[in-house]
Amino acid sequence: MDTIGSTPAPPAPPAPPAAPAPSVPPAGDRQADGRAARLTREQSRANTRERLLSAARSVFARSGFHGASVDEIASEAGFSTGALYSNFDGKEDLFLALMEREIDAYAREISDAVRGARASVTERATGGARQWMAMIEREPELLLLFMEFWAYGVRDTQVRPKVAARFAQMRAVLTGLIVDGVREFDLELALPAEQLAIAIDALADGIARQKLADPEAVPDELMGRVLSLLFSASTRPAGDKDTRSGR
């Protein structure tokens, strides 16, 4: 019972809301997050490697293989030499990786040009030759650099197999293009495709050297003409017994 004249007590303040319990992701989510973190590190490493290769391309083309230094390459890429050595064993390893990347790019360009021609195997050869001449015109420094490194590599028995493996990349691409062409046009070869690829690769290198030394002496269409003659002489319709026997 209330007492007359007494003041009622104020209501108690509401209790603060309870703090939410920390969220703990399921084990599967934590594993997925870990994979994402690892992927991010891999992407970062790949980006660093690509920047170093791009810088190496510029520095090697500007200074040559012997004139370039790892300090100059790392500085051009915006890294320390420690970053370079964490991705490559040194200047030689970096250049070999650069060769592999550039030859892959060249091979794609040549393959696209060859496969873009549909009329005949000689037309395909001419398309590839045109692309090669365009590449000589576009990037003479890089081709000179490859020649410089070839000369360096063949003198060193430790390096020579590595250099040979890079140059074999292009021969393998040429071999594949030749095999595809003779199959598509129902032809036979007078010599193995691998040997014909070696001859074409040697022709391309020789034309490049002549063009770089004396551009006016080498018409742009010369390689295409020679390749047309080479394919005419080294291919025959499949099953042509008279041609195959030499009659």
Side-chain angles (χ1 to χ4, degrees):
M1 180 176 182
D2 293 340
T3 305
I4 299 174
S6 65
T7 304
S23 174
V24 180
D29 290 345
R30 290 199 300 274
Q31 184 179 5
D33 291 344
R35 282 197 299 268
R38 284 196 296 274
L39 182 61
T40 299
R41 288 194 294 272
E42 289 168 2
Q43 288 175 331
S44 176
R45 181 179 176 84
N47 179 63
T48 299
R49 184 180 175 88
E50 182 60 29
R51 285 173 59 184
L52 286 165
L53 285 168
S54 296
R57 192 182 194 277
S58 299
V59 174
F60 281 132
R62 182 170 66 239
S63 304
F65 174 74
H66 296 288
S69 69
V70 292
D71 289 339
E72 185 182 5
I73 294 167
S75 175
E76 179 120 347
F79 296 117
S80 66
T81 54
L84 189 150
Y85 282 111
S86 69
N87 285 273
F88 302 97
D89 291 338
K91 184 169 76 169
E92 180 184 292
D93 184 49
L94 173 58
F95 189 80
L96 287 167
L98 177 64
M99 278 187 72
E100 187 170 358
R101 188 186 77 159
E102 294 302 317
I103 290 172
D104 280 343
Y106 278 18
R108 284 193 298 271
E109 285 193 43
I110 296 293
S111 296
D112 290 345
V114 169
R115 293 195 168 102
R118 299 290 182 184
S120 66
V121 71
T122 54
E123 184 182 317
R124 287 189 171 190
T126 302
R130 280 196 299 266
Q131 190 63 35
W132 177 245
M133 299 306 292
M135 288 154 62
I136 295 172
E137 179 75 20
R138 186 183 72 213
E139 297 180 304
E141 298 86 359
L142 196 61
L143 290 169
L144 285 170
L145 187 59
F146 282 0
M147 294 174 190
E148 178 187 353
F149 194 75
W150 172 86
Y152 162 75
V154 295
R155 291 188 178 98
D156 189 323
T157 57
Q158 299 297 317
V159 181
R160 189 186 306 156
K162 301 175 185 178
V163 176
R166 269 49 176 200
F167 283 104
Q169 287 175 245
M170 194 66 214
R171 292 200 306 274
V173 170
L174 292 173
T175 299
L177 292 172
I178 293 167
V179 169
D180 290 346
V182 296
R183 181 175 58 244
E184 182 172 342
F185 294 104
D186 198 22
L187 299 171
E188 291 180 357
L189 290 170
L191 72 166
E194 294 82 0
Q195 293 181 15
L196 184 56
I198 291 172
I200 293 171
D201 195 34
L203 174 64
D205 286 345
I207 288 284
R209 286 197 299 270
Q210 296 287 335
K211 185 71 171 177
L212 292 171
D214 190 355
E216 298 302 320
V218 183
D220 288 341
E221 66 276 10
L222 176 61
M223 184 172 172
R225 290 176 178 172
V226 174
L227 281 181
S228 295
L229 293 172
L230 178 60
F231 272 99
S232 295
S234 61
T235 60
R236 61 203 170 217
D240 189 338
K241 296 180 181 179
D242 289 342
T243 305
R244 191 164 52 245
S245 63
R247 294 194 298 271

